[in-house]
Every structure is written in C-alpha cells, then in structure tokens.
Amino acid sequence: MTERMLDTVTWTGAERVLDVGCGPGLALIAAAKRLTSGKAVGLDKWMVIHGEVNNSKAITLENARIEGVEDRVEVQDGDASAMPFADASFDVVVSSFVFHHLPHDIQHQALREIARVTKPGGRILITDDRTGELAAALRKLGLTDVSNRRLVFPIHLLSARRASAVVA
Ligand SMILES: C[S@@+](CC[C@H](N)C(=O)[O-])C[C@H]1O[C@@H](n2cnc3c(N)ncnc32)[C@H](O)[C@@H]1O
C-alpha cells in the first residue's frame, strides 16, 4: 500500500517529503529511496500504540541506516496538529495509518497543518480507513484534485494537491 501511494507521484528525486506520524519509518524510508538530492523528513510524537514500545526517533534513524538512506532522512519530534515547519516547506506530504489515532478536532487541525506546510502545487497523500470525512475537510481547505480511492478494504488512499492559498 505504501508503494502504491508513492507510485502516484511523478518523482524528480529532488523533492522535500514529509511523513506525518512516521513511526518506524515505513513510508519515510520508501520515499527516501525515490530521492536523489531531496530529503525525507519524519515527524512523530512517539506514542506507545497497541503496547508497542519500540517507537522512537533512534529506531527510525537506525531503520533508515539499515536501508541505506540515512543521508536523505531527517526525523523530528513534534505533533501533527502543530508542526515545527515553515509554510510551504514540502513538495509531498504523506501520512499512513495515523489519522484514525487522532481525536476528531485534532484531525482537522492536522489537515490544516498539512495544507499549510505543503508547497503550492505540492501533493498530499493519506492512507487510512474512513478517509471520506478527511476528503471533505481537505476540499473545504481549498485543496484541489481531491480523490479518495480504496486500496484494500477498509483502507483508502486520499490524494490532494495544494493549488494556492489555504482557506483560513
Ligand atoms: C500506527 S503508527 C503508523 C506509523 C507509520 N506511519 C506506518 O505507517 O508504519 C501511528 C503513528 O502516529 C504517531 N502519532 C499519533 N498521533 C500523533 C500526533 N498527534 N502527532 C504526530 N504523530 C502522531 C504515533 O506515535 C505512531 O508512530
């Protein structure tokens, strides 16, 4: 599913990519493998989910090293609802299996943040279940080319593009 998500981008290799809630780095590392001069940045608040204790920046960086992409990967501590990045910082923003962990109001704040940090013309790709409401929220934020297609039930790939200014 991660590769199918990333296959929807026409990569140049120079992109700045953000993986929101990167966890151990599945999408982060897969994206980094598609880069040459670009950078893949992971953001996470390192929650313990389903008793899984191996969730930390050190483990994600070690995974990147094992996969041979440590030169193209950065990992930052932070919350999806208040990201430590300037406006329009990323060409591609991905997030997989994070949104269903977020409370409703935080979901909307995180979408607003994703829209804010995406460059005009940049792509947003979210893999999760029940993405229909997220698609509607992205449209309200002024994002374009919003599509929501099923990968494997109940998992959907939500895709959008930031055309211009984000609705406040
Ligand atoms: C199920 S894991 C998915 C990890 C990874 N994206 C993947 O597909 O393997 C969910 C991740 O979201 C992170 N997370 C949950 N809420 C977050 C938030 N508000 N801000 C940043 N990360 C968050 C958790 O710490 C965890 O690493």
Side-chain angles (χ1 to χ4, degrees):
M1 282 189 277
T2 300
E3 295 298 338
R4 283 172 68 188
M5 172 173 79
L6 297 177
D7 280 347
T8 67
V9 175
T10 305
W11 297 92
T12 66
E15 289 82 2
R16 276 185 59 81
V17 183
L18 172 64
D19 183 1
V20 179
C22 62
L26 184 67
L28 178 73
I29 290 166
K33 287 183 177 177
R34 295 174 184 237
L35 302 177
T36 49
S37 59
K39 207 51 126 182
V41 180
L43 177 82
D44 207 292
K45 63 187 284 187
W46 314 114
M47 289 170 64
V48 174
I49 294 171
H50 307 310
E52 171 60 74
V53 290
N54 290 334
N55 200 19
S56 72
K57 184 199 273 192
I59 286 175
T60 307
L61 288 171
E62 176 63 2
N63 286 339
R65 191 193 63 75
I66 290 166
E67 291 293 322
V69 291
E70 71 270 33
D71 58 327
R72 280 161 270 161
V73 165
E74 287 173 12
V75 182
Q76 290 205 24
D77 303 329
D79 196 300
S81 63
M83 295 192 205
F85 305 116
D87 296 357
S89 296
F90 297 97
D91 302 286
V92 180
V93 179
V94 305
S95 184
S96 54
F97 306 110
V98 175
F99 271 81
H100 68 274
H101 290 293
L102 306 179
H104 197 254
D105 55 332
I106 301 294
Q107 284 189 358
H108 283 263
Q109 190 54 35
L111 289 180
R112 199 176 286 277
E113 280 291 87
I114 286 174
R116 179 182 68 77
V117 302
T118 304
K119 292 180 186 176
R123 293 283 307 281
I124 295 165
L125 297 165
I126 297 173
T127 302
D128 214 318
D129 58 2
R130 284 187 288 238
T131 44
E133 200 189 315
L134 303 180
L138 285 179
R139 285 192 186 96
K140 268 196 187 157
L141 285 170
L143 294 158
T144 62
D145 303 342
V146 178
S147 74
N148 188 31
R149 67 184 170 96
R150 191 169 74 185
L151 293 176
V152 177
F153 182 82
I155 309 303
H156 284 69
L157 172 60
L158 172 58
S159 170
R161 183 179 298 280
R162 180 174 169 190
S164 54
V166 175
V167 176

